[in-house]
Amino acid sequence: MTTTPTNLALDLGRSLVEPALRDAVRHCLCPELARVTAYHHGWTDAAGRPAEGRGGKLVRPALALLSARAASFTAADGVPAAVAVELVHNFSLLHDDIMDGDTVRRGRATAWTVFGAPQAILGGDALLAAATTVLLDTRRVGAASATRSLIAATQRMISGQAADMDFEQRDDVTVAECLRMAGDKTGALLACACALGAELVGGDVALVQRLAAFGEHIGLAFQLVDDLLGIWGDPEHTGKETGADIRARKKSLPVVAALNAAQSDELHALYHGPEPFTEADVRRITDLVERGGGRDWAQEEAARMTAAAEECLAGAGIADAVHGEFRDVAALILGRRS
């Protein structure tokens, strides 16, 4: 992606989607859980008073709106798809914060630390149910098909999360397994977002498939870039210490690639050892991952995925303006640089 990202698609997404997103939370959730999720989205404080919290960028909704436009409909026609995919995304964030023990999101205390884990879990569950309600209530020609696609993407995302957790207990994870996990955990919902608006309005099947493939490749490229930054990223840009993923012993893609390619037993012994890492260990492991080809492989794979995404989009036969905005949003997704 060589274009400079703009905010046009994101700005349009925010103006169209956020009011509908608030309506969905208000009308589909009981008051207790609406309060939890409104706080999570940054709309209110813990007491339910309006707040100026910083919400997400609404990248996935922007992609859903673009996919409706790709099918020659208006962005407004894609709003239910955009809302649905954002509800699923936030379902996953509420649960992820609990599983990871994260106490801060977007500069505020995470919902589970404020309302308790049970309420946050139920809030996530309620958002997932609301997502299907929003799609089915549209009565659009593609409502049933779009709902099935969203559920399938959600199932893949959950499967990817389960695999990621399983990897923490294993020392024999293969590159193929790690790529499949990343595709499920990160690529599935992005693929769904890129196609859901078109599917909802009854777009051509071949177009829907092309857009989904574009999103899948962008999702994998994003995960590869994110994993590179988790080891070699500049803390001023990432907000994390250099080598943060090494300290956490994550089975990230560069690490798994190096572990599977390394000729020396040193990387295996260090990474799978029982003792906490010292700073010297982190530096040595980082060096071994690079020497083992993990960094180069991840960079090359990210470039390959980005090129594959470009090819999918080029073959979709969509209007130049929409094509350009898809590329701009993708460039924004991939724009974190070390």
Side-chain angles (χ1 to χ4, degrees), residues 3 12 71 91 121-122 302:
T3 57
L12 177 61
F91 141 75
I121 291 169
L122 289 172

Side-chain angles (χ1 to χ4, degrees), residues 78-124:
V79 167
V83 170
V85 79
E86 185 66 8
L87 289 171
V88 170
H89 176 55
N90 281 280
F91 141 75
S92 72
L93 295 182
L94 279 163
H95 286 196
D96 283 352
D97 285 343
I98 297 168
M99 287 186 289
D100 296 341
D102 289 339
T103 58
V104 177
R105 178 173 291 281
R106 299 167 187 154
R108 300 203 309 169
T110 47
W112 74 271
T113 66
V114 175
F115 300 98
Q119 287 291 88
I121 291 169
L122 289 172

Side-chain angles (χ1 to χ4, degrees), residues 175-232:
V175 173
E177 286 179 306
C178 202
L179 281 169
R180 184 165 57 250
M181 178 275 293
D184 288 342
K185 183 178 177 181
T186 305
L189 195 60
L190 272 173
C192 183
C194 287
L196 199 65
E199 188 168 12
L200 180 65
V201 299
D204 182 74
V205 172
L207 171 66
V208 171
Q209 291 173 342
R210 282 272 183 178
L211 294 175
F214 166 77
E216 184 91 24
H217 290 307
I218 289 298
L220 270 172
F222 166 76
Q223 190 60 61
L224 285 153
V225 170
D226 199 57
D227 285 356
L228 284 162
L229 292 171
I231 301 174
W232 294 282

Side-chain angles (χ1 to χ4, degrees), residues 24-25 28-30 33-34 37 87 91 94-95 119-133:
V25 168
C28 296
L29 276 64
C30 67
L33 298 182
T37 56
L87 289 171
F91 141 75
L94 279 163
H95 286 196
Q119 287 291 88
I121 291 169
L122 289 172
D125 294 344
L127 291 182
L128 180 58
T132 59
T133 300

